[in-house]
Each structure stands twice: as C-alpha cells, then as structure tokens.
C-alpha cells in the first residue's frame, strides 16, 4: 500500500500555568490548536496561524533557533516531530510547538471547535485527554516561561 503524508503543526499555548485546548468537533477529541501547513508556508508560520484561526489568540512561539545568524533565516525549532497514522495509508508528520499569547487571552473559537478554553492542572485531570496529549501538556507547562524569562533547558542541555 502506498502511504501519503501531509505536514501538520500542533501548538501548545501556555499562559499563567494554564494551557489552551480545544474540543475538535469532527475528530471528537481534545487537542491543541493545529492543522495542515499550507503550500509555501513555513512550519512556524503555520503554528501561529492555526492558533489564531481556531481560537482568536495571537501567539509567539517559544523555542530556540539553531544558529545566531541573520542569514540563512533560522526558524524556531519545534519541541518535537512525530508521525501519526490518520487513516490506513495516510500519515501526518506533525511539528509540535510551544507558545505564549501576545495580547488578549479571550478565546473566539471557529466553526471546527465546540469548546476552547484555558485549562489549569485541576481541570486537566478531568479532561479525557489521550496519553500523548497529556504528556505534551505536562511538558509545555514545565517549559514555557513567563514573559521575560528564559525557557527551561531541554533534556541534554
């Protein structure tokens, strides 16, 4: 069987010890904002765009750039890259980003989303998250700093 693959992004947004999650109507599950990378779009641009389209929140990505140079342009390194089987013969190569809001934190969900809100540790325990999403949420809550602070080091730093 031939496998088709699409490049996608998922962005875990953290603000004041809470993470932004949404309930995706079509998929029937709790997820971070995310979606497909459009043709000619950079992955980190897609991560920011998807958060805004799905939640109305503007964000900045939290992460490193590999080199301290102006050229060639350095993109924000994703915190992870994973391959997910979406259907038989179809996979998503998913770039995982962490972010924090810039400006208002009032949510405005789009039509794909039935619920979107900021969830703290007590609320997260009650949400039916997959193990994978729960692990990413825990990592994002530990790694995304408050404004003006440096991110916590990655494993191996």
């Amino acid at each position: 069987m031939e496998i088709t693959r699409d490049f996608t992004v998922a962005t875990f947004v953290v603000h004041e010890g809470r993470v932004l999650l949404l309930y995706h109507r079509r998929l029937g599950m709790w997820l971070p904002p995310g979606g497909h990378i459009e043709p000619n779009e950079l992955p980190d641009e897609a991560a920011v765009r998807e958060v805004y389209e799905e939640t109305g929140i503007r964000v900045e990505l939290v992460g490193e750039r590999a080199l301290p140079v102006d050229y060639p342009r350095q993109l924000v390194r994703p915190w992870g890259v994973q391959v997910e089987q979406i259907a038989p013969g179809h996979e998503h190569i998913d770039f995982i980003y962490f972010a924090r809001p810039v400006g208002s934190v009032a949510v405005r969900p789009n039509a794909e989303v039935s619920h979107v809100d900021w969830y703290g540790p007590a609320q997260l325990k009650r949400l039916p998250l997959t193990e994978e999403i729960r692990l990413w949420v825990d990592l994002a809550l530990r790694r995304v700093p408050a404004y003006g602070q440096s991110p916590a080091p990655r494993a191996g730093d």
Side-chain angles (χ1 to χ4, degrees):
M1 172 191 306
E2 183 179 329
I3 296 177
T4 61
R5 294 184 176 110
D6 292 328
F7 287 94
T8 60
V9 294
T11 306
F12 291 87
V13 184
V14 175
H15 176 65
E16 295 180 350
R18 298 174 298 154
V19 67
L20 183 65
L21 293 175
L22 55 86
Y23 188 81
H24 196 284
R25 287 182 200 271
R26 186 175 54 81
L27 299 176
M29 61 191 302
W30 288 95
L31 296 169
H36 288 82
I37 299 172
E38 300 295 332
N40 297 314
E41 185 177 41
L42 297 171
D44 48 1
E45 292 170 340
V48 170
R49 175 185 54 77
E50 285 287 349
V51 173
Y52 183 71
E53 285 179 0
E54 293 182 348
T55 70
I57 303 289
R58 295 200 185 277
V59 298
E60 64 180 358
L61 299 179
V62 173
E64 304 169 337
R65 298 179 196 288
L67 299 174
V69 297
D70 292 329
Y71 186 83
R73 181 177 171 189
Q74 302 292 300
L75 303 180
V76 174
R77 277 190 203 166
W79 285 82
V81 179
Q82 59 192 27
V83 179
E84 300 172 278
Q85 183 176 353
I86 302 305
H90 184 65
E91 296 175 336
H92 283 176
I93 301 166
D94 198 16
F95 294 90
I96 310 298
Y97 289 94
F98 294 169
R100 56 188 166 209
V102 176
S104 173
V105 294
V107 295
R108 289 182 290 110
N110 71 10
E112 295 176 7
V113 176
S114 64
H115 299 85
V116 61
D117 210 343
W118 297 97
Y119 296 94
Q123 298 153 313
L124 288 165
K125 288 178 184 175
R126 294 189 298 271
L127 287 181
L129 303 177
T130 66
E131 179 184 6
E132 176 245 344
I133 297 298
R134 194 167 301 283
L135 290 170
W136 280 118
V137 164
D138 291 344
L139 185 59
L141 287 169
R142 288 194 318 269
R143 296 290 192 225
V144 177
Y147 281 97
Q149 296 178 347
S150 298
R154 293 178 185 225
D157 286 353

